[in-house]
Amino acid sequence: MDSNFSYWRMVIIGVLSLLLIVAISFFFYFEHIYFNYNPKEATFSKLENIRNKKKAKVIRYLDQQKERGIKVCQNSDIKDYFKKLLYLYSNHGYGGIEYAIIESVVNKLFVIELDKFYDLLFIDAEGDVFFSVKKEDDFLGNIHEERFNGVSLFEKIRKIQTRETEFVDYEYYSISDEPASFFITPVLKADKIQGYIVLQLPINDINCILTERQGLGRTGEVYLVNYNQLMITQSRFVEDNTILTKQIDTEAVRNAILEKRGNKIIKDYRDKRVFSSYEQFDYEGTEWIIVAEIDEDEVITEIYLSREKELFNKVTDYLSKYSYQNDIQKVFGKEWKQKNSSVKVDFKEFQKSKNGQSLYTEGIATCTAMTIGYPGKFGYLLHITPTDGSYRNVGFLTRLLLRDSYTDFVERVMSGICRYDILQCEKSQLRIGLMATHDDSFKNIIRKLTEHGVELSQIKVLYKKNYQKVDVVFDYRNDQVWSLWGGKGFKMVYTDEYENAPDIGELIKKLSNYNRV
């Protein structure tokens, strides 16, 4: 009997587990189909969902801290400590053994019960700060002093009317030299205010909630903006501090003030086109705007990756028939290599330049030329051969046969750039060019680049299948690539076709359903 029961229990558990796996798989499959069918609507839906979850987390966190603070403030022991210290301070001033003993007890309670808070202040009805855990410059001061004019915490207490706990929005609190918000709880005796217990809450945990990037891809971020249109969380794209220092005057913020919530493709505070989902909401009388955004470039890249085979064929077909503009021309003189201190990149080689030198390579026929540059800072020129992992026919067995002849230049160079040459936030500054008379390497190179966080809008391709070879000169300082197709040597005219060529992101917009939905 027991064995039969165990058997059927295992069967039921197995069936339920299978159904759960099927349901999860169906969900992700449906999400994939929805994105392919209507990428704009799917992206806004995703951002809206993330925005709502982040907002709920922020409110829940603040409510939890408020509840903990109120619980401690209503604790009879804390009230007794407040009243004893107030009595000692009013009659004897600060100091003495009894004062020190009570301070020590309150400090221990603060560490145990209020670990999320930065400081605890006791303030009497006249405005004297007679207790502080941190004992900074506000301690033993009076909130009515001129030096505290304009400090939101003290301005709030000066005007306070209610007997309930009040919230003070995040601002730069110069006394602690950091952003802070506050909960103010009045201490009453026979309905008369004896003073206030103030809890100082740092921005750290709120910032962690907003900057956690699960589901936000390579360029997504969620941030809070206050009523002064100042960012109150850290930007993922700015190395310097943005908390209460970065003004956000974007269409999303302006629309949130007028319309409360919405979704729109706009230019963000970096002047980049983004999908933006925004909402104005209230917390304890404080108006905030929460914004969830992701770069349009990343969305375009994801459209391509989700339909790679179909769209790659469309792109190469389009480029093979594309009429590159070549109205900008440059004639290199006989001694141009020496005069320009140019560096030659030989067959199956790559070179880096960061001292203003131009790079050049010759005879790209079955090979592929690739430029990677950060305009004005550095540039790489790669002469990639058919024994490189970028070529479509180089599989695992081929690698074994090639052994030392096998290369993977794109992976090697991009790993080095990401590790040594740039910060993460600078990756979008890279400009990449591919030049070849065939498309055998393009697909794998594009995939490798996207795996390193490069967007399609950063990549340009010069593809001329009716020519036998191409020679390339790369001037990273001015982000210029000069190409000579099917000529003999460097005595002929080079054209700046790279400048006028469309980037792959533009082509995906044109060739997919992006602009039709």
Side-chain angles (χ1 to χ4, degrees):
M1 185 74 175
D2 288 342
S3 61
N4 284 337
F5 176 76
S6 298
Y7 169 77
W8 285 110
R9 184 175 64 179
M10 292 300 295
V11 168
I12 292 170
I13 291 172
V15 170
L16 290 175
S17 300
L18 182 62
L19 289 173
L20 180 61
I21 292 169
V22 169
I24 293 171
S25 301
F26 178 78
F27 171 78
F28 284 110
Y29 178 72
F30 175 78
E31 194 175 51
H32 174 76
I33 294 296
Y34 183 35
F35 180 78
N36 283 341
Y37 174 72
N38 194 330
K40 290 181 180 177
E41 191 63 38
T43 301
F44 280 131
S45 177
K46 178 181 177 180
L47 287 175
E48 209 170 289
N49 186 43
I50 292 171
R51 186 197 76 204
N52 289 333
K53 286 181 178 178
K54 295 282 190 183
K55 184 184 80 169
K57 282 185 178 181
V58 168
I59 292 173
R60 183 164 61 249
Y61 168 79
L62 290 171
D63 282 345
Q64 287 171 347
Q65 303 321 309
K66 178 183 177 182
E67 186 179 336
R68 290 178 71 187
I70 290 174
K71 184 178 178 181
V72 169
C73 293
Q74 291 177 345
N75 183 296
S76 58
D77 290 338
I78 281 288
K79 288 182 178 179
D80 285 343
Y81 297 143
F82 180 95
K83 291 171 183 177
K84 286 177 182 177
L85 287 177
L86 177 58
Y87 174 80
L88 291 171
Y89 180 79
S90 300
N91 290 280
H92 308 290
Y94 175 70
I97 295 175
E98 189 177 0
Y99 210 112
I101 291 171
I102 297 173
E103 277 190 314
S104 176
V105 173
V106 177
N107 285 341
K108 288 179 182 177
L109 186 145
F110 175 81
V111 171
I112 295 169
E113 299 290 338
L114 298 167
D115 57 303
K116 295 292 184 181
F117 291 91
Y118 174 80
D119 200 1
L120 169 66
L121 305 176
F122 289 171
I123 303 175
D124 68 18
E126 303 302 318
D128 287 336
V129 182
F130 62 91
F131 172 82
S132 167
V133 171
K134 297 294 183 182
K135 292 185 170 48
E136 296 178 328
D137 283 348
D138 47 7
F139 179 53
L140 299 182
N142 186 284
I143 67 169
H144 298 287
E145 291 176 39
E146 188 175 343
R147 66 188 176 114
F148 293 138
N149 288 348
V151 177
S152 295
L153 167 64
F154 300 134
E155 294 286 355
K156 186 90 167 183
I157 295 175
R158 290 174 185 179
K159 302 171 185 175
I160 205 163
Q161 299 292 327
T162 181
R163 300 295 196 263
E164 303 296 325
T165 296
E166 295 266 353
F167 176 72
V168 180
D169 192 7
Y170 285 98
E171 69 165 11
Y172 175 71
Y173 190 56
S174 58
I175 292 158
S176 302
D177 193 27
E178 66 174 29
S181 65
F182 301 89
F183 288 104
I184 307 167
T185 301
V187 178
L188 305 176
K189 184 177 182 180
D191 203 37
K192 183 179 179 182
I193 294 178
Q194 280 191 301
Y196 308 91
I197 297 175
V198 176
L199 288 165
Q200 181 177 337
L201 188 65
I203 194 68
N204 306 40
D205 289 333
I206 295 287
N207 193 50
C208 286
I209 291 170
L210 273 295
T211 55
E212 195 279 314
R213 294 167 190 155
Q214 185 177 356
L216 285 166
R218 298 178 297 278
T219 62
E221 68 170 341
V222 184
Y223 55 90
L224 282 177
V225 177
N226 68 12
Y227 64 96
N228 288 323
Q229 293 183 231
L230 290 174
M231 186 181 280
I232 54 177
T233 46
Q234 180 62 37
S235 165
R236 93 180 269 181
F237 302 107
V238 181
E239 286 295 304
D240 295 332
N241 175 48
T242 60
I243 299 173
L244 295 172
T245 63
K246 182 73 176 174
Q247 189 85 29
I248 308 296
D249 185 22
T250 63
E251 191 176 354
V253 170
R254 294 192 296 270
N255 286 353
I257 293 170
L258 297 173
E259 304 168 4
K260 299 299 182 183
R261 68 175 60 85
N263 300 313
K264 196 169 185 180
I265 297 176
I266 64 160
K267 283 195 173 182
D268 73 353
Y269 59 89
R270 300 167 296 149
D271 203 35
K272 288 187 71 73
R273 281 176 61 85
V274 295
F275 283 73
S276 184
S277 181
Y278 47 85
E279 180 184 1
Q280 181 188 148
F281 70 100
D282 175 275
Y283 182 77
E284 298 284 336
T286 295
E287 295 293 333
W288 282 337
I289 295 167
I290 185 168
V291 184
E293 293 175 336
I294 192 167
D295 287 8
E296 184 184 43
D297 288 343
E298 180 174 348
V299 176
I300 299 300
T301 300
E302 292 305 314
I303 291 172
Y304 168 80
L305 293 175
S306 68
R307 299 158 55 193
E308 184 181 27
K309 184 177 180 180
E310 169 206 348
L311 291 175
F312 177 77
N313 291 335
K314 285 185 177 182
V315 167
T316 52
D317 183 59
Y318 182 90
L319 288 174
S320 68
K321 302 169 185 174
Y322 184 75
S323 177
Y324 293 97
Q325 299 180 40
N326 56 5
D327 53 323
I328 303 175
Q329 299 183 344
K330 184 168 185 175
V331 178
F332 291 98
K334 188 175 181 180
E335 305 299 327
W336 74 270
K337 300 175 191 176
Q338 290 76 16
K339 288 180 180 178
N340 289 277
S341 301
S342 298
V343 177
K344 182 177 181 180
V345 180
D346 287 323
F347 175 84
K348 204 173 189 177
E349 184 181 70
F350 66 83
Q351 292 280 358
K352 176 185 179 182
S353 175
K354 61 178 181 179
N355 299 315
Q357 299 167 309
S358 294
L359 300 166
Y360 72 95
T361 193
E362 302 170 303
I364 301 292
T366 57
C367 299
T368 302
M370 180 176 179
T371 61
I372 306 175
Y374 189 137
K377 288 195 174 183
F378 64 82
Y380 287 82
L381 178 58
L382 292 67
H383 191 130
I384 303 170
T385 69
T387 59
D388 189 271
S390 299
Y391 278 71
R392 66 177 66 159
N393 295 323
V394 180
F396 178 72
L397 291 176
T398 309
R399 291 187 205 178
L400 291 178
L401 293 171
L402 290 171
R403 295 188 180 180
D404 294 340
S405 297
Y406 172 78
T407 59
D408 194 349
F409 279 178
V410 178
E411 179 63 32
R412 186 174 166 187
V413 172
M414 283 303 301
S415 295
I417 288 172
C418 294
R419 183 173 297 177
Y420 303 114
D421 293 335
I422 61 172
L423 300 171
Q424 179 68 23
C425 62
E426 295 179 303
K427 194 174 290 183
S428 63
Q429 301 299 320
L430 296 178
R431 296 292 175 264
I432 295 158
L434 302 175
M435 284 69 64
T437 60
H438 58 83
D439 64 358
D440 294 341
S441 59
F442 292 160
K443 189 174 185 179
N444 284 346
I445 289 176
I446 291 171
R447 187 184 300 129
K448 287 173 184 288
L449 289 171
T450 59
E451 287 171 356
H452 279 280
V454 174
E455 307 300 346
L456 297 187
S457 60
Q458 297 171 249
I459 307 169
K460 289 185 175 184
V461 173
L462 300 184
Y463 169 38
K464 295 189 177 184
K465 64 180 181 179
N466 295 324
Y467 287 82
Q468 293 181 343
K469 76 179 186 77
V470 60
D471 301 334
V472 175
V473 180
F474 179 34
D475 173 12
Y476 75 86
R477 292 168 301 176
N478 301 303
D479 191 29
Q480 287 184 311
V481 178
W482 302 90
S483 54
L484 171 62
W485 296 85
K488 296 180 180 180
F490 283 87
K491 295 180 181 179
M492 299 182 66
V493 174
Y494 279 72
T495 54
D496 189 14
E497 295 168 318
Y498 173 85
E499 175 69 23
N500 300 290
D503 62 62
I504 302 298
E506 291 178 65
L507 296 184
I508 297 304
K509 279 187 177 183
K510 182 190 292 284
L511 300 173
S512 70
N513 61 333
Y514 180 79
N515 285 325
R516 295 195 297 273
V517 293

